[in-house]
Amino acid sequence: MNRIKIAVQKSGRLNEDSLAILKDCGISIDNGKDQLKAQSSNFPLEVLYLRNGDIPQYLRDGVVDIAIIGENVLIEKGQDIGIVEKLGFSKCRVSIAVPKGKKYNSIKDLDGKRIATSYPNTVVEYFKKFNVQPDIHLINGSVEIAPNIGLADAICDIVSSGSTLFKNNLKEVEVMLKSEAVLAVSPNISKENQLLLDKLQFRIKAVLKARKSKYILMNAPNDKIENIIKILPGMRSPTVLPLAEKGWSSIHTVIEKDTFWEVIDELKENGAEGLLVIPIEKLVL
């Protein structure tokens, strides 16, 4: 049986989030401890567990058809690799940080200064825009220690919460780019596997839409229904069902998490009562 091959990070948070979205897509993976390759038992898919930095080359060579990878890695090592879906998890930023006690006015302060990073291409391209040329020290691993041991004047690295910078007495001074997990595709994917990718992407879109949405039910007097419907965003039209109590109806719809509380407040102000909020597992449009 033909299988589409997907690369995911071997370990870490991105690995966990990648496997979670595949599970939410209904894909069961027969994965044993320390396996570097595993298959799905209910979808024609094979998972390869790889080092994050190696994945762009595997995509380029057609060894894997698709990958869940940080967008920051593609910017550094795989700008020729296509992105078919942004996944909304494992969000971070690639930033410049300097010692807390160091005075910093602008990026010009780093001209000729030593910057430790595992993202040399990203640094060069960013600094070109400001006509600044840093002295790049390529480090694979924990770059945060470099200023403390006198190896560099600043660092460029991924930042999530900023706690690692804080622990190493560093402060973030420039955000070069923002990143999240993406679904990337090999330029050499076959027509057969493109069809499998389309099926997988359909499932992923349903999962992502559900993660961003909530299903709500509310009761309202019939003379308030028209105003309430005007407030409701999202789906084509809410469902309105009569209640046993005369003059009242139940209204069902989907709203997005980002505007959830604002919409709820407005609904209450316009006569909605007994609001019930339910998480959505999948949302197929």
Side-chain angles (χ1 to χ4, degrees):
M1 180 176 63
N2 188 54
R3 290 181 178 271
I4 188 168
K5 293 181 180 179
I6 182 171
V8 301
Q9 189 180 48
K10 188 187 297 184
S11 61
R13 181 184 163 196
L14 184 52
N15 167 275
E16 295 168 3
D17 289 342
S18 300
L19 296 179
I21 195 169
L22 291 175
K23 183 179 179 181
D24 287 346
C25 288
I27 297 173
S28 299
I29 298 169
D30 301 323
N31 183 32
K33 184 177 172 64
D34 298 327
Q35 274 187 285
L36 297 180
K37 189 168 68 170
Q39 291 187 351
S40 168
S41 58
N42 61 353
F43 190 86
L45 177 140
E46 185 173 76
V47 181
L48 277 71
Y49 300 97
L50 304 172
R51 285 182 65 253
N52 219 26
D54 294 338
I55 291 176
Q57 192 60 50
Y58 279 82
L59 285 165
R60 195 175 288 116
D61 292 342
V63 176
V64 295
D65 302 296
I66 55 176
I68 297 177
I69 187 173
E71 189 176 8
N72 57 298
V73 180
L74 290 184
I75 291 170
E76 174 64 26
K77 293 186 172 183
Q79 292 202 20
D80 56 324
I81 304 296
I83 294 172
V84 294
E85 196 76 46
K86 293 198 173 188
L87 301 175
F89 56 78
S90 295
K91 292 186 177 182
C92 66
R93 52 196 183 273
V94 179
S95 298
I96 300 290
V98 300
K100 285 181 183 177
K102 186 180 180 68
K103 186 178 180 183
Y104 183 87
N105 297 311
S106 75
I107 198 167
K108 296 287 186 182
D109 293 346
L110 297 174
D111 195 16
K113 295 293 193 288
R114 299 166 300 167
I115 297 182
T117 186
S118 53
Y119 296 92
N121 297 327
T122 303
V123 172
V124 168
E125 289 302 313
Y126 182 78
F127 277 69
K128 269 184 186 176
K129 295 184 288 187
F130 302 95
N131 197 28
V132 173
Q133 291 185 320
D135 179 13
I136 296 175
H137 286 238
L138 179 60
I139 296 179
N140 291 314
S142 301
V143 301
E144 297 87 359
I145 195 173
N148 293 331
I149 61 175
L151 181 63
D153 303 295
I155 68 163
C156 168
D157 201 13
I158 58 170
V159 178
S160 295
S161 65
S163 61
T164 303
L165 294 182
F166 179 81
K167 290 174 185 175
N168 287 276
N169 203 33
L170 299 171
K171 61 182 179 181
E172 189 176 7
V173 293
E174 296 279 342
V175 177
M176 297 167 56
L177 61 93
K178 293 184 178 180
S179 174
E180 63 185 88
V182 298
L183 182 65
V185 60
S186 167
N188 297 310
I189 190 171
S190 67
K191 289 182 179 180
E192 294 82 1
N193 284 350
Q194 179 62 54
L195 293 175
L196 292 175
L197 171 57
D198 292 342
K199 289 182 179 180
L200 176 60
Q201 195 175 356
F202 175 79
R203 295 189 186 192
I204 288 174
K205 285 180 181 291
V207 169
L208 294 179
K209 186 67 178 174
R211 288 181 178 182
K212 295 176 183 176
S213 306
K214 292 284 188 182
Y215 189 83
I216 63 168
L217 301 83
M218 70 202 84
N219 298 330
N222 290 344
D223 60 356
K224 301 285 188 180
I225 290 176
E226 187 175 344
N227 287 340
I228 287 173
I229 288 176
K230 288 178 182 177
I231 297 167
L232 296 173
M235 305 297 283
R236 182 177 298 172
S237 177
T239 300
V240 180
L241 301 171
L243 293 177
E245 184 176 348
K246 190 175 180 180
W248 283 76
S249 293
S250 175
I251 303 171
H252 303 209
T253 193
V254 172
I255 61 176
E256 292 191 358
K257 285 183 181 178
D258 291 345
T259 58
F260 176 79
W261 286 111
E262 292 84 352
V263 172
I264 293 295
D265 289 342
E266 199 171 352
L267 289 171
K268 289 185 67 178
E269 290 169 5
N270 281 270
E273 297 181 8
L275 286 94
L276 178 63
V277 182
I278 303 172
I280 302 172
E281 186 174 320
K282 310 287 187 299
L283 184 55
V284 180
L285 300 176

